[in-house]
Amino acid sequence: MPRNDSLEMGELTDTSYYILLSLVEAKHGYLIMKTIEGMTNHQFSIGPASMYTTIKKLLSAKLITLCGEGNDKKKTYVATDKGIDLLKKEVQRRKTMIKHAEEILSQKGGL
């Protein structure tokens, strides 16, 4: 059975979630990676190959857009309104997942 693409299902993988979150403000690739490492206190990092594969998917889904190239010819990306809307839905989805886990685990002696 083929695996469904999470973006087609309206859900974000951890990698796409963090990339999209980092692109609320325009950034180029290296800065995306550094922003994610900083916001997660180095608990989550994305390598260049994975990042650019995910960026292609986010571009294709129109969740981010290329907003130009800087003076140093680095491509700069930014989240679209569609991307921000999906990010907000994803935050709510993940909060619900955490709530379910907390309810179940609290029955087993707490977190």
Side-chain angles (χ1 to χ4, degrees):
M1 180 176 207
R3 201 175 125 199
N4 290 326
D5 184 77
S6 61
L7 287 178
E8 289 175 13
M9 295 171 45
E11 297 176 356
L12 297 171
T13 63
D14 290 348
T15 299
S16 57
Y17 173 82
Y18 278 117
I19 290 173
L20 191 55
L21 184 60
S22 74
L23 289 175
V24 169
E25 294 181 8
K27 292 178 182 61
H28 59 77
Y30 180 75
L31 189 53
I32 294 169
M33 291 188 292
K34 289 299 169 190
T35 298
I36 292 167
E37 287 177 2
M39 82 170 73
T40 65
N41 199 27
H42 298 276
Q43 297 295 309
F44 193 88
S45 63
I46 300 169
S50 178
M51 182 186 65
Y52 285 110
T53 298
T54 304
I55 283 175
K56 285 181 186 177
K57 290 178 182 179
L58 294 171
L59 283 166
S60 178
K62 299 189 182 345
L63 299 174
I64 64 171
T65 188
L66 183 62
C67 63
E69 295 182 10
N71 294 336
D72 51 6
K73 305 234 180 185
K74 292 180 180 177
K75 292 181 179 178
T76 303
Y77 306 93
V78 68
T80 62
D81 289 342
K82 180 180 176 182
I84 298 295
D85 288 343
L86 180 56
L87 190 58
K88 289 175 182 177
K89 289 176 186 170
E90 184 68 11
V91 168
Q92 290 306 312
R93 184 181 79 83
R94 289 175 182 238
K95 282 182 179 180
T96 300
M97 291 170 63
I98 290 168
K99 180 179 167 245
H100 294 153
E102 288 173 340
E103 289 170 356
I104 290 170
L105 292 173
S106 69
Q107 296 169 8
K108 295 290 183 186
L111 288 172

